């Protein structure tokens, strides 16, 4: 049997021998941190890579046998476990076997084979699974905040909660500040950094999964606090109109227009508006929001300068600095302005490998798990894309822009030489990949833009060990993340830049690249995910796909009890 036939039929075997020919050798793995290896002669890099990845050995010593052995027969457990099967070897050994050798034969799992079954989940998931995915952490945050504020409003209206009646403006601004804060890039980066530094790998898995879920779904806090702040503002304005004889017309007018501006800002952010009419959402949410901030300042200043008891206007210079409303409004203004102070027009190089995508190259490297907003204008039409980078020391980073709308289509038809971007990038869920010992990154099509940096950067480099006998040297990096990329003609579609990054930094045993056109159809994604999840020893799965693909994989993972985080649209 040739080595090619052996490779196609069995997992790669790394054999440790000090025995005579044709002896039956049990497959055993001792679990010791140092392993001596004698290879039967096939791919050194791939075999050692699989051994290091699967068994997490801290080091390896490589020795080449004096004679080229051929594996003639092997019985391998299909579940990749350590079993009592036997493997037979033939050939002649040197008279003095290597003292470091043992009777151990380490078998690592095979690559996932292509299977031309369709990728769809055959049976419909249960209602409980679909409800569990729908009622995610985003909706839990949103529901909790809304219910608490409904309760607070009820108590305030009934006169039970007197603080709310006396400090309604504070409650309004406190909720709006929280809504702005959790959407601020700087505050978000701080939260991700704090969690990644404090809780990486050592804390229980359920706790790390909870941290990732909370960070990914902070949009629920944003939406809940914004709507709650709007509700308190309406209540505040209604109370002022009920006592309109004590309040001047200008303050009543400012309360009304502030409420109207906030209503338009919130309405434009509803998912069906944001997803179907992005430019409408952006213009109204941003510019009406800024106008609402101006009205809020006027409302606060005039409200503090008017004395309801004496019905006179007073100077605010001596008292306003002691008011909570002033400082809350100031903090909200700072957090809104901070990201815009980092906007710069930068030089870019646009590569168009095909009519489907544009690859944009920017200067300087980036850490993994970040997203960039780009635009042809300084304040209009910003679009977010995942950042691909080899690391913070790299000379450049890349964005993959799939052709979906007018903005991305123009990148192909009229490639720019400069683009506007915020230098302060915001973190995505992939930024928490450092929390986990091992994970799987699943993506389809242009989703590789948000996934690739995690597989390039997150891992534990092993020291290089020269072989004592053959002078071999390993440059293998034992990274923690496995890449599953499903697409059509990826190399042709995405070009040499992206393909080069993948093949230079990700070993074959650490990725499954599925070409749907070459394979004759899309794969059974869940079958691949389940096999890799077991063989790779993963703790979590991150998914970047379209709406339908994301839903199917998330449903499959939840049914299989595999922790997974997918793409968000209602964020």
């Amino acid at each position: 049997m040739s080595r090619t036939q052996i490779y196609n039929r069995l997992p790669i075997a790394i054999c440790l021998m000090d025995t005579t020919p044709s002896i039956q050798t049990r497959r055993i793995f001792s679990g010791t941190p140092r392993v001596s290896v004698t290879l039967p002669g096939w791919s050194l890099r791939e075999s050692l890579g699989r051994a290091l990845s699967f068994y997490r050995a801290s080091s390896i010593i490589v020795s080449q046998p004096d004679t080229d052995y051929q594996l003639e027969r092997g019985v391998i457990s299909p579940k990749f476990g350590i079993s009592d099967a036997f493997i037979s070897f033939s050939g002649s050994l040197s008279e003095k076997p290597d003292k470091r050798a043992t009777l151990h034969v380490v078998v690592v799992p095979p690559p996932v084979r292509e299977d031309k079954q369709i990728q769809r989940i055959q049976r419909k998931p249960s209602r409980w699974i679909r409800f569990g995915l729908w009622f995610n952490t985003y909706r839990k945050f949103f529901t909790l905040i809304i219910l608490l504020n409904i309760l607070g409003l009820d108590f305030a209206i009934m006169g039970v909660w007197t603080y709310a009646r006396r400090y309604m403006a504070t409650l309004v601004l406190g909720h709006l500040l929280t809504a702005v804060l959790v959407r601020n890039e700087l505050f978000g980066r701080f939260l991700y950094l704090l969690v990644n530094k404090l809780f990486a790998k050592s804390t229980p898995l359920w706790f790390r999964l909870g941290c990732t879920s909370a960070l990914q779904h902070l949009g629920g806090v944003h939406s809940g606090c914004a709507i709650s702040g709007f509700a308190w503002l309406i209540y505040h304005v209604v109370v002022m109109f009920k006592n309109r004889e004590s309040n001047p017309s200008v303050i009543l007018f400012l309360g009304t227009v502030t409420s109207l501006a906030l209503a338009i800002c919130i309405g434009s952010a509803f998912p069906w508006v944001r997803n179907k009419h992005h430019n409408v959402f952006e213009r109204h949410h941003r510019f009406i929001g800024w106008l609402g901030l101006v009205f809020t300042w006027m409302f606060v200043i005039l409200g503090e300068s008017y004395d309801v008891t004496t019905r006179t206007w007073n100077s605010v210079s001596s008292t306003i600095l002691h008011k909570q409303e002033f400082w809350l409004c100031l903090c909200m203004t700072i957090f809104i302005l901070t990201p815009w102070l980092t906007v710069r027009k930068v030089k870019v190089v646009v590569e168009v490998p095909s009519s489907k995508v544009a690859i944009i190259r920017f200067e300087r490297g980036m850490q993994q798990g970040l997203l960039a907003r780009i635009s042809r204008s300084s304040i209009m039409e910003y679009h977010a894309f995942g950042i691909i980078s080899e690391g913070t020391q790299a000379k450049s980073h890349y964005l993959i822009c799939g052709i979906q709308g007018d903005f991305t289509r123009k990148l192909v038809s009229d490639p720019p030489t400069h683009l506007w971007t915020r230098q302060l990038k915001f973190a995505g869920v992939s930024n928490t990949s450092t929390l986990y010992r091992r994970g799987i990154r699943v993506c389809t099509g242009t989703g590789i833009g948000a996934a690739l940096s995690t597989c390039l950067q997150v891992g534990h480099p092993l020291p290089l060990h020269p072989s004592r006998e053959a002078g071999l040297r390993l440059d293998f990096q034992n990274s923690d993340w496995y890449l599953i990329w499903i697409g059509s003609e990826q190399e042709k579609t995405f070009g040499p830049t992206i393909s080069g990054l993948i093949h230079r930094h990700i070993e074959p045993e650490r990725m499954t690249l599925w070409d749907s056109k070459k394979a004759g159809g899309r794969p059974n994604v869940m079958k691949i995910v389940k096999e890799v999840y077991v063989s790779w020893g993963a703790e979590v799965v991150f998914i970047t796909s379209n709406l339908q693909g994301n839903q199917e994989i998330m449903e499959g993972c939840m049914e299989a009890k595999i922790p997974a985080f997918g793409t968000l649209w209602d964020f």
Side-chain angles (χ1 to χ4, degrees):
M1 183 183 293
S2 69
R3 292 189 186 90
T4 303
Q5 291 171 322
I6 294 167
Y7 179 79
N8 289 336
R9 288 185 58 189
L10 301 174
I12 295 297
I14 300 178
C15 308
L16 294 74
M17 303 173 289
D18 64 355
T19 183
T20 57
S22 300
I23 191 168
Q24 298 290 328
T25 307
R26 284 182 179 271
R27 285 192 295 128
I28 305 169
F29 180 66
S30 62
T32 55
R34 193 171 183 81
V35 184
S36 299
V37 179
T38 300
L39 294 168
W42 51 71
S43 171
L44 170 64
R45 179 184 179 86
E46 189 168 48
S47 299
L48 292 181
R50 289 178 182 277
L52 286 168
S53 298
F54 191 65
Y55 291 110
R56 303 177 186 175
S58 61
S59 63
I60 271 190
I61 297 174
V62 180
S63 60
Q64 294 284 30
D66 297 331
T67 304
D68 191 16
Y69 302 106
Q70 289 195 4
L71 183 60
E72 292 190 334
R73 183 171 61 85
V75 182
I76 307 297
S77 170
K79 293 185 178 179
F80 316 131
I82 304 303
S83 71
D84 290 332
F86 293 95
I87 297 177
S88 175
F89 294 91
S90 65
S92 60
L93 291 168
S94 59
E95 295 182 1
K96 296 181 179 179
D98 191 339
K99 293 181 180 179
R100 290 175 291 119
T102 72
L103 291 177
H104 298 171
V105 176
V106 180
V107 180
V108 299
V112 177
R113 296 185 180 91
E114 292 188 352
D115 186 351
K116 294 189 179 181
Q117 299 177 30
I118 59 172
Q119 86 283 10
R120 303 288 183 253
I121 295 176
Q122 297 300 320
R123 60 187 183 85
K124 201 171 183 179
S126 68
R127 291 182 179 180
W128 180 251
I129 287 177
R130 283 181 287 164
F131 175 76
L133 290 176
W134 178 83
F135 194 61
N136 54 19
T137 306
Y138 177 103
R139 289 183 171 88
K140 291 173 184 175
F141 279 148
F142 179 84
T143 302
L144 177 64
I145 292 170
I146 294 297
L147 289 177
L148 288 175
N149 279 278
I150 289 174
L151 193 64
L153 276 167
D154 287 341
F155 286 157
I157 292 171
M158 292 185 296
V160 176
W161 191 17
T162 57
Y163 177 88
R165 296 296 296 266
R166 287 184 287 118
Y167 298 102
M168 281 186 286
T170 301
L171 288 172
V172 173
L173 292 172
H175 281 90
L176 296 181
L177 173 60
T178 305
V180 169
L181 186 63
V182 297
R183 271 289 178 256
N184 178 267
E185 286 90 338
L186 188 61
F187 181 73
R189 290 283 294 274
F190 171 74
L191 285 182
Y192 274 88
L193 177 65
L194 192 68
V195 170
N196 288 334
K197 290 295 184 183
L198 294 180
F199 308 125
K201 298 179 175 63
S202 59
T203 53
L205 178 60
W206 63 266
F207 181 80
R208 287 176 277 143
L209 292 171
C211 290
T212 298
S213 184
L215 289 172
Q216 185 189 26
H217 296 95
L218 283 174
V221 178
H222 172 75
S223 302
C225 286
I227 292 176
S228 298
F230 175 66
W232 283 105
L233 177 60
I234 293 296
Y235 176 57
H236 184 28
V237 173
V238 168
V239 171
M240 290 175 61
F241 268 95
K242 287 180 66 177
N243 302 303
R244 55 183 173 274
E245 66 280 355
S246 301
N247 293 290
S249 299
V250 64
I251 294 181
L252 296 176
F253 171 77
L254 285 172
T256 302
V257 295
T258 303
S259 301
L260 182 62
L262 190 55
I264 296 173
C265 188
I266 291 173
S268 66
F270 272 73
W272 67 271
V273 177
R274 186 178 62 241
N275 295 332
K276 294 182 180 295
H277 307 282
H278 179 270
N279 291 342
V280 172
F281 151 70
E282 187 177 31
R283 290 166 186 164
H284 289 78
H285 199 68
R286 179 172 302 150
F287 297 118
I288 300 298
W290 290 352
L291 184 62
L293 179 64
V294 173
F295 288 150
T296 301
W297 269 111
M298 296 171 66
F299 192 34
V300 168
I301 293 174
L302 291 179
E304 293 300 327
S305 63
Y306 185 76
D307 190 335
V308 178
T309 56
T310 62
R311 299 185 182 184
T312 58
W313 295 93
N314 302 315
S315 173
V316 298
S317 58
S318 59
T319 60
I320 196 167
L321 293 180
H322 301 285
K323 299 294 184 179
Q324 301 176 75
E325 293 85 349
F326 170 81
W327 293 106
L328 291 172
C329 201
L330 179 62
C331 289
M332 185 165 60
T333 305
I334 291 172
F335 283 117
I336 289 174
L337 290 179
T338 300
W340 291 99
L341 297 177
T342 68
V343 170
R344 299 288 186 276
K345 189 175 184 180
V346 298
K347 184 179 180 181
V348 298
V349 177
V350 180
E351 176 187 340
V352 185
S354 69
S355 60
K356 297 180 180 179
V357 297
I359 312 296
I360 307 177
R361 179 167 61 84
F362 294 78
E363 294 181 355
R364 76 190 178 98
M366 293 280 178
Q367 63 169 283
Q368 66 86 29
L370 300 182
L371 295 95
R373 290 187 173 97
I374 60 171
S375 175
R376 288 179 180 262
S377 167
S378 57
I379 59 173
M380 288 290 295
E381 285 195 57
Y382 274 86
H383 298 263
F385 300 93
I387 295 174
I388 297 176
S389 178
E390 296 165 281
T392 54
Q393 303 303 318
K395 294 181 179 180
S396 57
H397 64 275
Y398 306 87
L399 305 184
I400 297 180
C401 305
I403 308 306
Q404 293 180 342
D406 294 338
F407 176 79
T408 50
R409 192 175 293 112
K410 199 173 180 182
L411 290 175
V412 173
S413 62
D414 181 23
T417 58
H418 292 77
L419 285 173
W420 290 89
T421 185
R422 297 181 188 180
Q423 299 289 67
L424 181 60
K425 313 303 180 185
F426 68 101
V429 66
S430 292
N431 199 253
T432 63
S433 57
T434 54
L435 290 177
Y436 303 98
R437 297 184 180 92
R438 285 200 156 195
I440 302 171
R441 201 63 174 84
V442 182
C443 59
T444 60
T446 55
I448 189 67
L452 186 53
S453 280
T454 299
C455 298
L456 295 180
Q457 295 186 34
V458 181
H460 296 86
L462 293 177
L464 301 179
H465 297 285
S467 169
R468 298 178 183 178
E469 296 185 9
L472 299 174
R473 191 172 179 83
L474 305 181
D475 59 349
F476 176 79
Q477 183 181 27
N478 182 24
S479 186
D480 295 339
W481 284 79
Y482 190 104
L483 175 65
I484 299 175
W485 185 21
I486 300 162
S488 178
E489 298 183 308
Q490 290 101 319
E491 292 201 15
K492 180 180 177 181
T493 302
F494 294 87
T497 300
I498 303 303
S499 297
L501 287 172
I502 292 173
H503 294 297
R504 279 200 309 272
H505 298 286
I506 304 179
E507 299 72 27
E509 62 275 5
R510 201 161 59 84
M511 63 179 172
T512 296
L513 306 183
W514 184 283
D515 186 338
S516 299
K517 187 170 184 179
K518 181 180 178 181
R522 296 185 68 185
N524 185 330
V525 182
M526 276 313 303
K527 182 175 183 292
I528 296 176
V529 170
K530 289 176 183 178
E531 289 178 355
V532 175
Y533 180 76
V534 173
S535 63
W536 186 247
E539 291 184 324
V540 69
V541 177
F542 286 167
I543 304 159
T544 305
S545 184
N546 56 30
L547 183 60
Q548 183 179 3
N550 179 81
Q551 184 71 13
E552 290 179 352
I553 301 172
M554 287 294 291
E555 288 173 354
C557 287
M558 190 170 185
E559 190 173 31
K561 301 188 186 307
I562 297 175
F565 298 93
T567 309
L568 291 182
W569 282 269
D570 294 340
F571 62 95

